[in-house]
Every structure is written in structure tokens, then in C-alpha cells.
Amino acid sequence: MTQHDPAATLRFAVFGHPVAHSLSPQIHAAFARELSIALEYTAIDATAETFPDALARFAAAGGAGANVTLPLKQQAAALCGSLGDGARRSGAVNTLVRSNGGWHGENTDGRGLVRDLTERHGLDLRQRRTLLIGAGGAARGVAPALLEAGIGDLFVVNRTPERADALADTLGEPARVHPRYLADLASLGEFDLIVHATSATRDAALPALPMSLVGTRAAAVDVNYGEVAIPFLAWARAAGARDAIDGLGMLVEQAAESFRLWHGRRPATDEVYAGLRERYAALVTAD
């Protein structure tokens, strides 16, 4: 972790495609004001093809750290000279830290999700039979932390079965982690925790999900927020989920973890979360 001159303005960014909608610049600006740290944080649109060059230019211009979002998280891991435990286990990076002339990669998504669910929403995740929908960068980011939080069996389903198999292999706990196909959903029984971690709803294409998946105490969580989360949350409420939670809290908490890695101090998050929740209240409560 690098300690910086508090008088210097540090450069940070979030890379993704699309990324203009990202709330990360607003969140990090609020954190910086709270802790009196001067920084510049911008959104940089980069596709898989342009990301390596864009990141190199950012580093050459003095970039000290960055966040990475869809669809670049697995690619970011490959561009790092070193990886933290969570990033290594998941094969996905959402936080880049400039280190020894290269990039060190971390993944704060999972810690952010677990902190939001347990501390903000008061959920006990222990021994919850869990369904993870998706096997891309977002799913890879949260799976290790869910296992570490003590969930029970984890079933991973994905449109491309090979990706579900690959994530299960990466997690390395065959006794607890079970890759399955979307076609298997109706036969999997009830779950206590269902996490939707695909980008499908960005294209209005939520997979067909049987209502029989929802157990009596089920919490349904979408790692997305805003309009993108509405289809899954609406399905969850219709199916009788006890809790239906979007990814806004996770977004704020993972950002605070990234901020801590860059600056050595973790900001308070409640005020930032409350402000964003008010902004998105009409959307995330829609049926």
C-alpha cells in the first residue's frame, strides 16, 4: 500500500464498456471530500481490444489506481504483475493499484457484497444453500467471498456451461461448488440465497427462472443496480423472496474497499449510500 503526499492530486479512473453511466466518479469524489484527499477520478470507456493500450496511457500519464468493470475484469487480471488472494482465486480484478512500475490487482467486489448483506441488511449468510447465476467477471468476483462468509453449497449456472465449469474449477472446492446448466434450474430445489451476476438484463434478457427456486427465507440479490436490476428483483418479489436486494450497497462498499487500498483509510459509507438510494428509490422498488 502506497502512502501519498496529501497535497498532491492523484489520478484514478474506472475502465469499462459502456461506462458513462458509472457512479464510481461520484462515489470516490464523496469519499475524497470526507477524508480531505485531493484526487481526480474519471470514467474511461475501453473495449477488450482497446483496454491494454488505454491502461498503458493512463499509467504513463500518472495514473495511481483504477477500478475495472464489465467486460474487462478477467482481462485486467491477465495484465497485472501481481494479484491479491481474492483476485487470484477468482481470476478477476476490479481494483488496480500502481506498484513497482506495474499493476497489482485486487478484487473488492466480494467483500463489498458480503459487507452490504451482513452489516447493512442484517443477513446471516452461514449455511445458506446458494445459487449463483452467471460465471463472468462479476460472478467470479463475489463467489470466493461468499464461500469465505460460510454459505452452504454453491450452485453455479451460466448460459455457457463451460464457463460455469471453469469457475467451479477455479474456486477449487468440489465438495461445495457445483456447476449446473440453465436447463437444470427446475430440478435444483429451493435456495436460501440467489445471486444474479450476469449482464443479461442490460439487453432485457433475464434468463427464465422457475419460482420454485425461492425458499421460505430466501434472499435474492442482484449485483446490478438501477433499471438493470428491475427484472430480477421483480421476479424475486413475485416468487416470494423474503429479501430482494439490488447491488447499490455492494457498489458503495466495494468502492470503499478500493479507496482503502489506494489511500490507507476506509471512508464511512452510510451517507453516500443513502444519497444514492434516494436517487434510485423509484427505480429499485418498481414492480
Side-chain angles (χ1 to χ4, degrees):
M1 191 181 303
T2 304
Q3 297 298 323
H4 302 288
D5 177 358
T9 298
L10 302 169
R11 296 194 64 206
F12 299 88
V14 56
F15 289 84
H17 179 74
V19 77
H21 68 283
S22 176
L23 295 177
S24 291
Q26 177 182 336
I27 292 170
H28 283 275
F31 290 163
R33 287 193 298 272
E34 175 191 330
L35 297 178
S36 300
I37 294 173
L39 62 79
E40 171 189 314
Y41 189 112
T42 56
I44 300 176
D45 194 291
T47 65
E49 292 74 24
T50 63
F51 179 44
D53 287 343
L55 184 61
R57 287 194 299 273
F58 175 70
N67 289 125
V68 182
T69 188
L70 292 171
L72 307 173
K73 294 182 179 183
Q74 288 171 263
Q75 187 179 8
L79 295 174
C80 290
S82 61
L83 296 172
D85 289 342
R88 186 180 304 107
R89 190 175 185 196
S90 66
V93 160
N94 82 321
T95 304
L96 295 167
V97 183
R98 197 70 179 154
S99 176
N100 299 320
W103 291 108
H104 173 75
E106 295 277 356
N107 199 307
T108 66
D109 282 337
R111 292 196 297 275
L113 175 63
V114 169
R115 188 177 180 113
D116 181 56
L117 295 181
T118 58
E119 298 192 16
R120 180 168 288 115
H121 295 283
L123 299 184
D124 184 351
L125 301 182
R126 291 173 296 178
Q127 296 304 310
R128 287 195 182 227
R129 190 171 189 262
T130 300
L131 175 65
L132 177 60
I133 305 168
R140 283 175 169 269
V142 301
L146 289 171
L147 291 168
E148 290 167 7
I151 63 169
D153 285 356
L154 175 65
F155 290 78
V156 181
V157 299
N158 192 65
R159 287 188 185 277
T160 306
E162 292 80 8
R163 297 190 76 181
D165 292 337
L167 175 53
D169 289 343
T170 297
L171 294 171
E173 293 194 37
R176 294 174 69 194
V177 181
H178 316 286
R180 293 291 188 269
Y181 307 145
L182 283 175
D184 297 331
L185 282 175
S187 64
L188 294 182
E190 295 183 347
F191 290 90
D192 307 308
L193 177 64
I194 302 172
V195 180
H196 177 242
T198 81
S199 59
T201 47
R202 294 179 185 273
D203 303 314
L206 181 71
L209 302 175
M211 290 189 175
S212 60
L213 295 171
V214 177
T216 55
R217 67 163 186 156
V221 181
D222 198 321
V223 302
N224 301 293
Y225 61 90
E227 290 183 344
V228 181
I230 289 175
F232 176 77
L233 297 181
W235 168 83
R237 294 189 184 97
R242 180 179 295 183
D243 300 283
I245 300 168
D246 76 341
L248 195 62
M250 169 186 162
L251 176 72
V252 174
E253 297 302 330
Q254 64 80 26
E257 290 293 326
S258 296
F259 198 94
R260 179 185 62 80
L261 288 169
W262 295 329
H263 305 289
R265 301 163 66 190
R266 193 184 198 281
T269 57
D270 285 349
E271 184 175 342
V272 173
Y273 172 77
L276 293 176
R277 175 56 68 209
E278 183 177 356
R279 173 178 171 182
Y280 278 89
L283 288 176
V284 300
T285 57
D287 290 326

